[in-house]
Amino acid sequence: PPSSLNRIAAKAPEPVVVSEELFTALRRGVELHAITDGAFDITAKPFVQLWRTSRKLGELPPKHRIANARRYVDIASLKLDATNRTAALQKPGMWLDLGGLAKGLIGDEVVALLLRRGITRCRYRAGGDMVFGDAPPGADGWRVVVPDLLVDVPGGEKAPLSFLASNSAASVSGDVYRYVEINGARYAHVIDPRTGVGVTERRVACVRARHGVDTDPLATAGLVLDEDRWRATLARLPGAE
């Protein structure tokens, strides 16, 4: 489709003037790539397309196709010019994907719009991404329950993660619903942009932070990184947990 995002790819390597909203998303995508040590990458669209085909066919992508796609997954080749508000992909054939960031960013904008209209008690939700305004009347926050993420509770038992949130954001990512089984292995819909292969470890990640534009990518990174590296990543963003 002739979207602004796809025009950047179609015009590569020429710079393309983009909207302020799109430029903000691209710039934060580059920053989150650095924060997550490459576990989140908005240039990983070639890998994503391969795995979408694999899910339909029930077959692993051929190794030579993964190797070819890897040539076009390169965040360093995305050049952003804040002065002219342009974006350029220096390698023709590259493709951008904001699927792991846009819902959170949109949530931030929706809640900000409601606040400007005087609607302070509000909640935005799109799939696993949530952004909150003030708490509902008579409550300390909006209740969030993650049924697929069991945590220890008093008494030595386990129960679904549950917490209250207001004036903040939260995102949940996992392989509970979107995955494919090939040759006895389960591959999540989330692709490790460093390898081009779908995540195979069973994980559910939940992140809380101030903004949805951050929780959305960080939850995705939680499926890619091991827990120690993921917690180290969260420590780089003040207020994230």
Side-chain angles (χ1 to χ4, degrees):
S3 66
S4 297
L5 194 68
N6 284 347
R7 264 203 312 275
I8 299 171
K11 294 289 186 179
E14 299 175 17
V16 175
V17 177
V18 299
S19 67
E20 183 176 347
E21 293 86 353
L22 180 53
F23 190 87
T24 296
L26 295 173
R27 181 167 54 191
R28 194 57 178 155
V30 172
E31 293 167 348
L32 265 297
H33 179 275
I35 291 172
T36 62
D37 291 329
F40 177 78
D41 194 332
I42 60 176
T43 69
K45 181 75 168 182
F47 287 149
V48 174
Q49 288 300 104
L50 277 182
W51 282 88
R52 284 180 177 171
T53 301
S54 292
R55 285 201 296 272
K56 293 178 182 178
L57 299 178
E59 301 175 355
L60 293 174
K63 291 184 178 179
H64 72 277
R65 288 187 177 272
I66 293 179
N68 182 63
R70 183 175 288 112
R71 296 188 299 150
Y72 302 103
V73 178
D74 181 11
I75 198 74
S77 291
L78 170 60
K79 299 300 181 182
L80 302 177
D81 182 342
T83 301
N84 298 304
R85 208 173 67 210
T86 62
L89 290 170
Q90 294 187 313
K91 297 178 183 177
M94 290 183 68
W95 206 356
L96 296 168
D97 185 353
L98 296 178
L101 179 147
K103 286 189 297 182
L105 176 60
I106 291 169
D108 293 333
E109 294 297 325
V110 167
V111 170
L113 173 63
L114 292 173
L115 294 178
R116 290 197 298 271
R117 298 291 178 88
I119 304 171
T120 63
R121 291 170 171 160
C122 55
R123 179 184 71 166
Y124 160 97
R125 179 176 178 182
D129 299 300
M130 296 155 277
V131 182
F132 309 95
D134 289 344
D140 294 328
W142 296 90
R143 173 66 61 180
V144 178
V145 179
V146 188
D148 302 303
L149 183 55
L150 301 180
V151 296
D152 294 326
V153 297
E157 299 181 359
K158 289 186 177 293
L161 176 68
S162 175
F163 56 90
L164 295 174
S166 62
N167 296 307
S168 61
S171 292
V172 181
S173 187
D175 68 344
V176 177
Y177 302 108
R178 295 174 61 193
Y179 64 90
V180 62
E181 290 187 357
I182 302 175
N183 299 329
R186 178 180 173 125
Y187 297 89
H189 70 286
V190 173
I191 309 302
D192 186 339
R194 302 166 302 178
T195 65
V197 178
V199 174
T200 56
E201 284 195 52
R202 298 294 306 278
R203 289 181 181 169
V204 177
C206 179
V207 183
R208 294 194 292 181
R210 183 66 188 89
H211 302 291
V213 70
D214 296 326
T215 60
D216 191 356
L218 289 174
T220 300
L223 301 190
V224 174
L225 298 169
D226 63 49
E227 186 167 359
D228 288 341
R229 290 185 178 180
W230 188 53
R231 291 188 179 279
T233 291
L234 296 182
R236 296 174 187 148
L237 189 70
E241 61 177 343

